[in-house]
């Protein structure tokens, strides 16, 4: 059960964020409107949303999920691999100190983005990706074990982050795209396969009895209609231009 979320307002420097998407430059005003609508969707899910000020020094800092992993027992400050994002962790630490008694940190040579961490109950799947290396994943798993949780690694080759291509949408059910549809790591789950044309719709957020999905993915929507959760569609097209998904825009705990 989540009760809180942290988001960060995008700055104008958002338009120079990292991207491999080839979908054009985000429209800043539209991005601001979509960010407000995203916050409203989180509030509809019953969350108290803490809205951090824009940080113009970091173009990608609205993707606040990447800088920390928030668990029921502790928070872990991540260590983004992208040089332009490394400094984003400095300002999230004092914020998390208001909510957590126990805060850990990923240390060099480890790198880890929160987008590579998918929690399913007390277990955390950790993507080994362009952004998260083995040292970072191993450190996270060791920290989780110290707090009575578990973790395991999942190679990621086709997507930026693990959760770009796979997210939990119901009890024991994953929405999965591309390489994750038939990955034996997830063989104990019921898999809802995402057609390739809708890969960008695989990133959903399950919050309490609601499910946030990105607007514009009709087959994903059709797959989710029977999952027993109220669906809330949010248009985040401007963030998709920066490889960002729904989960990337908040920390939920
Ligand atoms: N634009 C989000 C990221 O590449 O981290």
């Amino acid at each position: 059960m989540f009760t809180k979320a942290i988001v960060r307002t995008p700055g104008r420097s958002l338009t120079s964020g990292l991207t491999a998407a080839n979908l054009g430059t985000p429209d800043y005003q539209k991005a601001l409107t979509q960010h407000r609508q995203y916050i409203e969707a989180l509030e509809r899910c019953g969350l108290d949303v803490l809205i951090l000020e824009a940080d113009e020094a970091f173009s990608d800092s609205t993707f606040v999920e990447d800088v920390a992993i928030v668990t029921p027992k502790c928070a872990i400050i991540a260590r983004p691999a992208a040089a332009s994002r490394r400094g984003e962790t400095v300002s999230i630490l004092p914020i998390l100190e208001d909510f957590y008694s126990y805060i850990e940190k990923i240390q060099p040579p480890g790198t880890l983005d929160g987008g590579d961490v998918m929690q399913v109950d007390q277990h955390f799947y950790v993507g080994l990706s362009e952004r998260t290396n083995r040292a970072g994943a191993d450190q996270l798993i060791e920290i989780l074990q110290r707090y009575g949780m578990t973790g395991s690694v999942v190679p990621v080759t086709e997507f930026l982050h693990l959760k770009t291509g796979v997210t939990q949408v119901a009890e024991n059910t994953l929405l999965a795209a591309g390489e994750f549809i038939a990955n034996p790591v997830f063989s104990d789950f019921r898999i809802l396969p995402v057609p390739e044309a809708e890969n960008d719709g695989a990133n959903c957020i399950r919050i309490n009895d609601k499910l946030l999905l990105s607007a514009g993915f009709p087959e994903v929507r059709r797959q989710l209609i029977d999952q027993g959760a109220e669906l809330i569609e949010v248009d985040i097209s401007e963030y998709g231009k920066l490889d960002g998904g729904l989960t990337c825009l908040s920390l939920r705990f």
Side-chain angles (χ1 to χ4, degrees):
M1 187 85 184
F2 294 119
T3 58
K4 298 180 183 64
I6 298 173
V7 301
R8 186 181 289 286
T9 305
R12 289 187 177 278
S13 62
L14 178 79
T15 53
S16 340
L18 296 173
T19 184
N22 213 14
L23 294 171
T25 305
D27 175 319
Y28 180 59
Q29 290 306 326
K30 196 169 171 189
L32 280 179
T33 301
Q34 291 181 346
H35 200 256
R36 278 194 292 273
Q37 290 165 348
Y38 177 82
I39 291 166
E40 282 165 20
L42 295 179
E43 288 172 343
R44 267 181 71 188
C45 296
L47 303 190
D48 281 333
V49 183
L50 174 62
I51 306 169
L52 306 179
E53 279 179 17
D55 186 346
E56 292 292 353
F58 296 101
S59 305
D60 287 290
S61 55
T62 194
F63 299 117
V64 70
E65 177 185 62
D66 287 324
V67 298
I69 294 88
V70 284
T71 82
K73 297 177 182 160
C74 64
I76 299 118
I77 305 295
R79 189 164 181 273
S84 66
R85 302 201 61 186
R86 188 69 54 82
E88 288 177 32
T89 56
V90 173
S91 58
I92 202 71
L93 177 60
I95 307 293
L96 291 175
E97 281 172 344
D98 286 342
F99 297 102
Y100 280 93
S101 305
Y102 300 100
I103 299 189
E104 307 283 344
K105 277 188 189 175
I106 301 299
Q107 305 288 351
T111 64
L112 183 125
D113 277 9
D116 275 317
V117 183
M118 178 173 71
Q119 179 181 359
V120 179
D121 301 323
Q122 296 293 305
H123 188 80
F124 292 72
Y125 293 93
V126 187
L128 296 176
S129 69
E130 274 180 31
R131 299 289 179 86
T132 296
N133 65 18
R134 186 78 211 203
D138 285 348
Q139 285 180 42
L140 177 63
I141 292 167
E142 186 275 323
I143 291 166
L144 293 168
Q145 287 171 344
R146 261 195 279 132
Y147 287 86
M149 299 170 281
T150 55
S152 58
V153 298
V154 187
V156 179
T157 58
E158 296 170 19
F159 295 95
L160 175 64
H161 289 129
L162 175 67
K163 280 186 294 194
T164 314
V166 60
T167 48
Q168 186 182 17
V169 291
E171 197 65 33
N172 205 43
T173 305
L174 303 178
L175 180 69
E179 66 192 278
F180 303 122
I181 294 175
N183 190 322
V185 170
F186 300 126
S187 59
D188 287 343
F189 291 92
R190 189 164 67 100
I191 299 291
L192 305 180
V194 174
E196 193 176 344
E198 295 197 12
N199 272 0
D200 291 346
N203 182 270
C204 294
I205 316 181
R206 184 181 182 221
I207 304 178
N208 306 332
D209 60 344
K210 311 250 191 318
L211 199 51
L212 266 57
L213 68 153
S214 292
F217 301 99
E219 178 56 23
V220 167
R221 181 171 226 292
R222 196 192 62 74
Q223 293 257 33
L224 297 177
I225 266 166
D226 296 329
Q227 298 316 306
E230 180 188 329
L231 301 185
I232 302 177
E233 248 177 350
V234 188
D235 186 358
I236 54 159
S237 60
E238 302 316 293
Y239 300 93
K241 292 174 181 174
L242 299 176
D243 302 318
L246 288 166
T247 63
C248 311
L249 290 167
S250 61
L251 288 163
R252 303 155 301 280
F253 54 104

